[in-house]
Amino acid sequence: MIETNSQTVAVRQRSLLLDIICSDDPAIRNLSLDEHCAKLSREQLLAACEELDSFRRECDNLYQRVRALFFLYAIHRFHLPRELQGRECGMIPFVGFENLLARRFYESISEFLAEQERSGPSITLSSALAAAYHRLAFQTLADQVRKSVRTVKGNQWMFRTGHPEDLPLRVRAELLVPDANGLYPVLRERTSVRMDFSHSGWSDIFFLGMDFPEGAKVINASINLAV
């Protein structure tokens, strides 16, 4: 099969996007998506989106799957509209919009892509796809955090408490004892606005720690605080 120069360039550029996602080499993994996409034509951007969408559906690596979703969001939100200026605005299928509002992001993306296949790309459809990819990325993270946290018995209170005794938080005993004048101790605490340097419940720690542990190095601190 004979390829034209533009096709050869498109294949090379698409492969680099996957290299940025999958590479273990920081020099490649940390390349700027914006700088790379600024060099691509409309056809190359669309081809890149097609490959990224297939990759995120098949990939079983959470880190890589979420990166692909954010890449798709960025391309549809910032780069394709630049190349689609002057084209017909296009239409968003109502079923896809309903699915988006109902947080059925997989279904909404499929509807939007089917409309793009029928009617061609448009700024309107790229806007809808960007919203769906962006929300699906965070839903993927949230689902993983929820699953990971709930598997630890000590964390179950974060999601369901049926009685005050279920809470692991307690008031320090010395704060409940008045002095000779009947006055209770006053605790004065000075700290930064955010006390926890890291927290096992934040989505980025789960996201990085599972598949990219060298990017999830954190400082842990335990603070006994009573108010």
Side-chain angles (χ1 to χ4, degrees):
M1 182 178 66
I2 300 176
E3 293 182 337
T4 64
N5 289 336
S6 61
Q7 289 174 324
T8 302
V9 171
V11 170
R12 179 175 59 82
Q13 299 285 16
R14 293 201 307 269
S15 297
L16 180 56
L17 280 179
L18 290 187
D19 285 343
I20 293 174
I21 293 175
C22 301
S23 177
D24 293 329
D25 182 359
I28 298 176
R29 186 177 62 237
N30 298 331
L31 287 174
S32 169
L33 175 67
D34 287 341
E35 291 181 8
H36 175 64
C37 289
K39 306 172 185 177
L40 303 184
S41 66
R42 182 186 67 191
E43 289 73 19
Q44 291 169 339
L45 288 170
L46 289 169
C49 287
E50 183 178 352
E51 184 179 55
L52 287 169
D53 189 78
S54 296
F55 175 80
R56 64 97 182 169
R57 294 173 187 268
E58 300 168 358
C59 180
D60 58 0
N61 183 298
L62 176 70
Y63 174 71
Q64 295 174 357
R65 187 163 73 250
V66 174
R67 282 200 83 187
L69 286 166
F70 279 122
F71 277 24
L72 284 161
Y73 154 72
I75 293 173
H76 278 287
R77 175 65 178 84
F78 302 107
H79 298 285
L80 267 173
R82 178 194 69 223
E83 299 295 329
L84 294 172
Q85 292 289 341
R87 292 177 61 87
E88 185 177 349
C89 289
M91 301 287 288
I92 297 176
F94 185 69
V95 173
F97 182 65
E98 282 187 317
N99 285 328
L100 183 62
L101 292 181
R103 301 181 62 81
R104 294 191 291 267
F105 303 126
Y106 287 99
E107 293 85 347
S108 65
I109 289 171
S110 296
E111 290 289 338
F112 297 151
L113 290 176
E115 179 63 25
Q116 181 176 266
E117 183 68 23
R118 288 190 296 268
S119 307
S122 67
I123 293 178
T124 307
L125 276 173
S126 279
S127 176
L129 282 165
Y133 282 127
H134 188 262
R135 296 178 189 180
L136 179 58
F138 280 105
Q139 184 188 66
T140 302
L141 285 174
D143 289 344
Q144 183 59 45
V145 170
R146 190 178 299 110
K147 178 181 178 182
S148 299
V149 173
R150 284 180 173 174
T151 58
V152 179
K153 187 175 182 180
N155 290 334
Q156 292 175 353
W157 68 273
M158 298 171 62
F159 299 94
R160 182 183 182 278
T161 55
H163 188 276
E165 290 298 322
D166 293 337
L167 291 172
L169 307 178
R170 298 290 183 268
V171 178
R172 293 183 64 91
E174 57 265 35
L175 295 176
L176 302 176
V177 180
D179 60 16
N181 297 318
L183 301 176
Y184 289 89
V186 174
L187 176 68
R188 183 179 182 181
E189 189 272 339
R190 291 181 176 180
T191 185
S192 57
V193 174
R194 180 172 177 176
M195 293 178 58
D196 52 340
F197 304 106
S198 68
H199 193 291
S200 63
W202 298 128
S203 59
D204 53 348
I205 302 303
F206 277 92
F207 173 42
L208 293 171
M210 288 178 15
D211 301 299
F212 179 38
E214 62 271 27
K217 295 177 181 178
V218 297
I219 300 174
N220 291 293
S222 176
I223 302 174
N224 291 326
L225 173 65
V227 178

PDB file of all heavy atoms in Angstrom, residues 8 28-29 36 41 60 64 77 103 121 144 146 181 192 200 213-214 216 220 226-227:
ATOM      1  N   THR A   8       1.550   9.660   5.958  1.00  0.00           N
ATOM      2  CA  THR A   8       2.698   9.207   6.724  1.00  0.00           C
ATOM      3  C   THR A   8       2.923  10.092   7.941  1.00  0.00           C
ATOM      4  O   THR A   8       3.163   9.617   9.048  1.00  0.00           O
ATOM      5  CB  THR A   8       3.960   9.225   5.844  1.00  0.00           C
ATOM      6  OG1 THR A   8       3.747   8.389   4.702  1.00  0.00           O
ATOM      7  CG2 THR A   8       5.166   8.710   6.632  1.00  0.00           C
ATOM      8  N   ILE A  28       9.780  11.911  27.165  1.00  0.00           N
ATOM      9  CA  ILE A  28       8.665  11.753  26.220  1.00  0.00           C
ATOM     10  C   ILE A  28       7.335  11.953  26.938  1.00  0.00           C
ATOM     11  O   ILE A  28       6.460  12.658  26.448  1.00  0.00           O
ATOM     12  CB  ILE A  28       8.714  10.352  25.565  1.00  0.00           C
ATOM     13  CG1 ILE A  28      10.005  10.182  24.763  1.00  0.00           C
ATOM     14  CG2 ILE A  28       7.491  10.130  24.677  1.00  0.00           C
ATOM     15  CD1 ILE A  28      10.183   8.798  24.167  1.00  0.00           C
ATOM     16  N   ARG A  29       7.194  11.335  28.114  1.00  0.00           N
ATOM     17  CA  ARG A  29       5.925  11.396  28.842  1.00  0.00           C
ATOM     18  C   ARG A  29       5.547  12.831  29.208  1.00  0.00           C
ATOM     19  O   ARG A  29       4.363  13.163  29.300  1.00  0.00           O
ATOM     20  CB  ARG A  29       6.017  10.542  30.111  1.00  0.00           C
ATOM     21  CG  ARG A  29       4.706  10.414  30.870  1.00  0.00           C
ATOM     22  CD  ARG A  29       4.835   9.508  32.073  1.00  0.00           C
ATOM     23  NE  ARG A  29       5.773  10.018  33.045  1.00  0.00           N
ATOM     24  CZ  ARG A  29       6.839   9.355  33.479  1.00  0.00           C
ATOM     25  NH1 ARG A  29       7.088   8.149  33.015  1.00  0.00           N
ATOM     26  NH2 ARG A  29       7.645   9.883  34.377  1.00  0.00           N
ATOM     27  N   HIS A  36       2.493  20.050  20.689  1.00  0.00           N
ATOM     28  CA  HIS A  36       2.404  19.000  19.672  1.00  0.00           C
ATOM     29  C   HIS A  36       1.184  19.202  18.779  1.00  0.00           C
ATOM     30  O   HIS A  36       1.283  19.146  17.548  1.00  0.00           O
ATOM     31  CB  HIS A  36       2.335  17.636  20.352  1.00  0.00           C
ATOM     32  CG  HIS A  36       2.121  16.493  19.417  1.00  0.00           C
ATOM     33  ND1 HIS A  36       3.028  16.131  18.455  1.00  0.00           N
ATOM     34  CD2 HIS A  36       1.075  15.639  19.282  1.00  0.00           C
ATOM     35  CE1 HIS A  36       2.566  15.111  17.760  1.00  0.00           C
ATOM     36  NE2 HIS A  36       1.377  14.785  18.259  1.00  0.00           N
ATOM     37  N   SER A  41      -2.820  19.308  11.470  1.00  0.00           N
ATOM     38  CA  SER A  41      -3.943  19.784  10.667  1.00  0.00           C
ATOM     39  C   SER A  41      -5.250  19.216  11.218  1.00  0.00           C
ATOM     40  O   SER A  41      -5.247  18.383  12.146  1.00  0.00           O
ATOM     41  CB  SER A  41      -3.771  19.339   9.217  1.00  0.00           C
ATOM     42  OG  SER A  41      -3.853  17.920   9.120  1.00  0.00           O
ATOM     43  N   ASP A  60      -6.438  -1.145  29.845  1.00  0.00           N
ATOM     44  CA  ASP A  60      -6.807  -1.550  31.202  1.00  0.00           C
ATOM     45  C   ASP A  60      -5.940  -0.861  32.252  1.00  0.00           C
ATOM     46  O   ASP A  60      -6.017  -1.191  33.442  1.00  0.00           O
ATOM     47  CB  ASP A  60      -6.724  -3.071  31.358  1.00  0.00           C
ATOM     48  CG  ASP A  60      -5.335  -3.606  31.038  1.00  0.00           C
ATOM     49  OD1 ASP A  60      -4.440  -2.802  30.703  1.00  0.00           O
ATOM     50  OD2 ASP A  60      -5.137  -4.835  31.110  1.00  0.00           O
ATOM     51  N   GLN A  64      -3.149   5.508  32.151  1.00  0.00           N
ATOM     52  CA  GLN A  64      -3.114   5.770  30.716  1.00  0.00           C
ATOM     53  C   GLN A  64      -4.507   6.062  30.167  1.00  0.00           C
ATOM     54  O   GLN A  64      -4.672   6.923  29.296  1.00  0.00           O
ATOM     55  CB  GLN A  64      -2.486   4.578  29.994  1.00  0.00           C
ATOM     56  CG  GLN A  64      -1.021   4.358  30.346  1.00  0.00           C
ATOM     57  CD  GLN A  64      -0.448   3.097  29.745  1.00  0.00           C
ATOM     58  OE1 GLN A  64      -1.159   2.330  29.083  1.00  0.00           O
ATOM     59  NE2 GLN A  64       0.824   2.845  29.994  1.00  0.00           N
ATOM     60  N   ARG A  77     -11.603  20.570  22.861  1.00  0.00           N
ATOM     61  CA  ARG A  77     -11.931  21.865  23.468  1.00  0.00           C
ATOM     62  C   ARG A  77     -11.083  23.006  22.917  1.00  0.00           C
ATOM     63  O   ARG A  77     -11.584  24.117  22.696  1.00  0.00           O
ATOM     64  CB  ARG A  77     -11.732  21.765  24.997  1.00  0.00           C
ATOM     65  CG  ARG A  77     -11.923  23.083  25.749  1.00  0.00           C
ATOM     66  CD  ARG A  77     -13.346  23.582  25.655  1.00  0.00           C
ATOM     67  NE  ARG A  77     -13.522  24.808  26.408  1.00  0.00           N
ATOM     68  CZ  ARG A  77     -13.245  26.021  25.939  1.00  0.00           C
ATOM     69  NH1 ARG A  77     -12.772  26.142  24.706  1.00  0.00           N
ATOM     70  NH2 ARG A  77     -13.447  27.082  26.690  1.00  0.00           N
ATOM     71  N   ARG A 103     -25.454  11.767  33.176  1.00  0.00           N
ATOM     72  CA  ARG A 103     -24.139  11.231  33.532  1.00  0.00           C
ATOM     73  C   ARG A 103     -23.878   9.865  32.912  1.00  0.00           C
ATOM     74  O   ARG A 103     -23.074   9.085  33.420  1.00  0.00           O
ATOM     75  CB  ARG A 103     -23.964  11.171  35.057  1.00  0.00           C
ATOM     76  CG  ARG A 103     -24.110  12.521  35.747  1.00  0.00           C
ATOM     77  CD  ARG A 103     -23.895  12.409  37.247  1.00  0.00           C
ATOM     78  NE  ARG A 103     -22.560  11.954  37.548  1.00  0.00           N
ATOM     79  CZ  ARG A 103     -21.465  12.733  37.578  1.00  0.00           C
ATOM     80  NH1 ARG A 103     -21.582  14.025  37.291  1.00  0.00           N
ATOM     81  NH2 ARG A 103     -20.286  12.236  37.868  1.00  0.00           N
ATOM     82  N   PRO A 121     -17.351  16.678  11.211  1.00  0.00           N
ATOM     83  CA  PRO A 121     -16.969  17.386  12.435  1.00  0.00           C
ATOM     84  C   PRO A 121     -17.479  18.820  12.435  1.00  0.00           C
ATOM     85  O   PRO A 121     -17.671  19.429  11.387  1.00  0.00           O
ATOM     86  CB  PRO A 121     -15.439  17.338  12.399  1.00  0.00           C
ATOM     87  CG  PRO A 121     -15.098  17.227  10.951  1.00  0.00           C
ATOM     88  CD  PRO A 121     -16.192  16.408  10.336  1.00  0.00           C
ATOM     89  N   GLN A 144     -12.856   4.866  40.835  1.00  0.00           N
ATOM     90  CA  GLN A 144     -11.731   4.114  41.356  1.00  0.00           C
ATOM     91  C   GLN A 144     -11.456   4.474  42.814  1.00  0.00           C
ATOM     92  O   GLN A 144     -11.170   3.606  43.643  1.00  0.00           O
ATOM     93  CB  GLN A 144     -10.471   4.387  40.517  1.00  0.00           C
ATOM     94  CG  GLN A 144      -9.269   3.587  40.954  1.00  0.00           C
ATOM     95  CD  GLN A 144      -9.534   2.081  40.883  1.00  0.00           C
ATOM     96  OE1 GLN A 144     -10.083   1.577  39.909  1.00  0.00           O
ATOM     97  NE2 GLN A 144      -9.154   1.367  41.928  1.00  0.00           N
ATOM     98  N   ARG A 146     -13.664   5.571  44.976  1.00  0.00           N
ATOM     99  CA  ARG A 146     -14.754   5.004  45.769  1.00  0.00           C
ATOM    100  C   ARG A 146     -14.524   3.502  45.997  1.00  0.00           C
ATOM    101  O   ARG A 146     -14.684   3.000  47.111  1.00  0.00           O
ATOM    102  CB  ARG A 146     -16.081   5.237  45.048  1.00  0.00           C
ATOM    103  CG  ARG A 146     -17.310   4.910  45.876  1.00  0.00           C
ATOM    104  CD  ARG A 146     -18.575   5.215  45.117  1.00  0.00           C
ATOM    105  NE  ARG A 146     -18.671   6.625  44.772  1.00  0.00           N
ATOM    106  CZ  ARG A 146     -18.556   7.100  43.537  1.00  0.00           C
ATOM    107  NH1 ARG A 146     -18.358   6.281  42.521  1.00  0.00           N
ATOM    108  NH2 ARG A 146     -18.642   8.405  43.306  1.00  0.00           N
ATOM    109  N   ASN A 181     -11.658  26.826  88.733  1.00  0.00           N
ATOM    110  CA  ASN A 181     -12.619  27.915  88.544  1.00  0.00           C
ATOM    111  C   ASN A 181     -13.795  27.515  87.659  1.00  0.00           C
ATOM    112  O   ASN A 181     -14.628  28.355  87.303  1.00  0.00           O
ATOM    113  CB  ASN A 181     -11.925  29.141  87.949  1.00  0.00           C
ATOM    114  CG  ASN A 181     -10.859  29.702  88.874  1.00  0.00           C
ATOM    115  OD1 ASN A 181     -11.064  29.782  90.081  1.00  0.00           O
ATOM    116  ND2 ASN A 181      -9.709  30.073  88.294  1.00  0.00           N
ATOM    117  N   SER A 192      -1.418  26.326  58.743  1.00  0.00           N
ATOM    118  CA  SER A 192      -1.768  26.815  57.405  1.00  0.00           C
ATOM    119  C   SER A 192      -3.225  26.475  57.111  1.00  0.00           C
ATOM    120  O   SER A 192      -3.867  25.716  57.828  1.00  0.00           O
ATOM    121  CB  SER A 192      -0.858  26.157  56.374  1.00  0.00           C
ATOM    122  OG  SER A 192      -0.971  24.752  56.462  1.00  0.00           O
ATOM    123  N   SER A 200      -5.022  10.151  51.608  1.00  0.00           N
ATOM    124  CA  SER A 200      -5.267   8.946  50.816  1.00  0.00           C
ATOM    125  C   SER A 200      -6.598   8.993  50.077  1.00  0.00           C
ATOM    126  O   SER A 200      -6.863   8.163  49.224  1.00  0.00           O
ATOM    127  CB  SER A 200      -5.244   7.713  51.727  1.00  0.00           C
ATOM    128  OG  SER A 200      -6.291   7.785  52.670  1.00  0.00           O
ATOM    129  N   PRO A 213       3.693   5.067  40.230  1.00  0.00           N
ATOM    130  CA  PRO A 213       4.021   5.313  41.644  1.00  0.00           C
ATOM    131  C   PRO A 213       5.104   6.349  41.854  1.00  0.00           C
ATOM    132  O   PRO A 213       5.091   7.065  42.858  1.00  0.00           O
ATOM    133  CB  PRO A 213       4.458   3.932  42.142  1.00  0.00           C
ATOM    134  CG  PRO A 213       4.818   3.166  40.918  1.00  0.00           C
ATOM    135  CD  PRO A 213       3.920   3.673  39.836  1.00  0.00           C
ATOM    136  N   GLU A 214       6.039   6.475  40.908  1.00  0.00           N
ATOM    137  CA  GLU A 214       7.103   7.452  41.113  1.00  0.00           C
ATOM    138  C   GLU A 214       6.573   8.884  41.043  1.00  0.00           C
ATOM    139  O   GLU A 214       7.241   9.828  41.470  1.00  0.00           O
ATOM    140  CB  GLU A 214       8.213   7.269  40.068  1.00  0.00           C
ATOM    141  CG  GLU A 214       7.790   7.476  38.615  1.00  0.00           C
ATOM    142  CD  GLU A 214       7.286   6.197  37.961  1.00  0.00           C
ATOM    143  OE1 GLU A 214       6.790   5.328  38.692  1.00  0.00           O
ATOM    144  OE2 GLU A 214       7.395   6.081  36.735  1.00  0.00           O
ATOM    145  N   ALA A 216       3.793   9.733  42.597  1.00  0.00           N
ATOM    146  CA  ALA A 216       2.861   9.882  43.725  1.00  0.00           C
ATOM    147  C   ALA A 216       3.592   9.913  45.058  1.00  0.00           C
ATOM    148  O   ALA A 216       3.073   9.480  46.065  1.00  0.00           O
ATOM    149  CB  ALA A 216       1.847   8.741  43.708  1.00  0.00           C
ATOM    150  N   ASN A 220       3.399  12.449  54.494  1.00  0.00           N
ATOM    151  CA  ASN A 220       2.252  12.178  55.349  1.00  0.00           C
ATOM    152  C   ASN A 220       2.494  12.726  56.747  1.00  0.00           C
ATOM    153  O   ASN A 220       3.601  12.605  57.293  1.00  0.00           O
ATOM    154  CB  ASN A 220       1.986  10.668  55.439  1.00  0.00           C
ATOM    155  CG  ASN A 220       1.475  10.105  54.120  1.00  0.00           C
ATOM    156  OD1 ASN A 220       0.378  10.441  53.697  1.00  0.00           O
ATOM    157  ND2 ASN A 220       2.271   9.297  53.464  1.00  0.00           N
ATOM    158  N   ALA A 226      -8.206  19.258  68.220  1.00  0.00           N
ATOM    159  CA  ALA A 226      -9.505  19.346  68.864  1.00  0.00           C
ATOM    160  C   ALA A 226      -9.946  20.793  68.836  1.00  0.00           C
ATOM    161  O   ALA A 226      -9.129  21.702  68.939  1.00  0.00           O
ATOM    162  CB  ALA A 226      -9.441  18.843  70.307  1.00  0.00           C
ATOM    163  N   VAL A 227     -11.232  21.021  68.653  1.00  0.00           N
ATOM    164  CA  VAL A 227     -11.756  22.373  68.565  1.00  0.00           C
ATOM    165  C   VAL A 227     -12.794  22.549  69.673  1.00  0.00           C
ATOM    166  O   VAL A 227     -13.692  21.719  69.779  1.00  0.00           O
ATOM    167  CB  VAL A 227     -12.382  22.646  67.203  1.00  0.00           C
ATOM    168  CG1 VAL A 227     -12.974  24.055  67.170  1.00  0.00           C
ATOM    169  CG2 VAL A 227     -11.342  22.478  66.102  1.00  0.00           C
TER     170      VAL A 227
END
